[in-house]
Amino acid sequence: MSYDIYFLRRRDGQSWDDVLEAMEDAAEDSEQIPVRLLEAWDRIVPQARSLLGDVEITEYEQESRDLSHSDTGIDLSVFGDEVSITVPYWHAGNEAAGVVDRVFALAAIVENETKLTAYDPQVERPLRETPPQKPAELMSRITEDLRSRYGS
């Protein structure tokens, strides 16, 4: 289980539900990463390193790119024309707030470089319209719930 952020392109008048449905339909087709996203990736990686520090980069031909930060579990992925950030439910309290701050900063970098909109499906709104406290509280609550069910 993870806290997810999707990067989406929404046309005028299109609902977020329609955008998400189109993304799910497109996920069935494996495609190469578009050139515009490969170029954006090359600009994102050094900024992400500056933000997060030591990260691991995985590239699979023209189909996928992945940037992972082992200390926080933050993972930025590009698969075909899909871009997402995921964070496992490992963090609670102040630690969750710090991780969410980093996710928001990374999302701003990705938005700037890709011109896509970061969307938070947990709260069903664009990330820029979401106060960071809400995702941090949600992450904390779910992490603590998982710890109580399955142990730390």
Side-chain angles (χ1 to χ4, degrees):
M1 291 182 68
S2 61
Y3 200 98
D4 305 321
I5 304 295
Y6 303 133
F7 293 85
L8 307 170
R9 185 176 316 281
R10 185 173 125 186
R11 297 184 309 271
D12 288 340
Q14 188 178 28
S15 73
W16 286 111
D17 286 339
D18 289 343
V19 175
L20 290 169
E21 187 176 318
M23 181 189 83
E24 290 172 8
D25 291 343
E28 297 171 10
D29 303 323
S30 178
E31 299 178 9
Q32 291 188 350
I33 300 172
V35 171
R36 67 178 169 72
L37 286 180
L38 287 172
E39 291 170 349
W41 178 261
D42 290 339
R43 296 186 303 270
I44 291 167
V45 169
Q47 295 175 70
R49 281 191 168 121
S50 178
L51 173 68
L52 299 172
D54 189 33
V55 295
E56 183 178 326
I57 305 294
T58 306
E59 298 180 354
Y60 180 72
E61 298 178 9
Q62 297 296 321
E63 282 83 35
S64 68
R65 300 288 185 270
D66 191 75
L67 180 147
S68 299
H69 184 249
S70 62
D71 289 346
T72 59
I74 294 172
D75 188 81
L76 169 63
S77 298
V78 179
F79 183 75
D81 66 350
E82 294 179 30
V83 182
S84 64
I85 294 174
T86 60
V87 184
Y89 288 112
W90 294 349
H91 313 285
N94 290 335
E95 186 180 333
V99 169
V100 166
D101 287 346
R102 288 173 148 183
V103 168
F104 272 60
L106 181 58
I109 293 167
V110 174
E111 279 187 320
N112 184 55
E113 296 299 345
T114 65
K115 307 306 181 219
L116 298 171
T117 300
Y119 182 81
D120 183 336
Q122 288 82 201
V123 297
E124 300 178 330
R125 66 172 64 171
L127 198 61
R128 71 179 126 219
E129 296 174 10
T130 306
Q133 299 83 355
K134 189 162 187 146
E137 290 168 2
L138 184 59
M139 182 180 287
S140 286
R141 189 170 60 249
I142 292 172
T143 297
E144 290 168 356
D145 183 52
L146 290 170
R147 286 178 181 166
S148 69
R149 286 184 188 191
Y150 304 107
S152 26

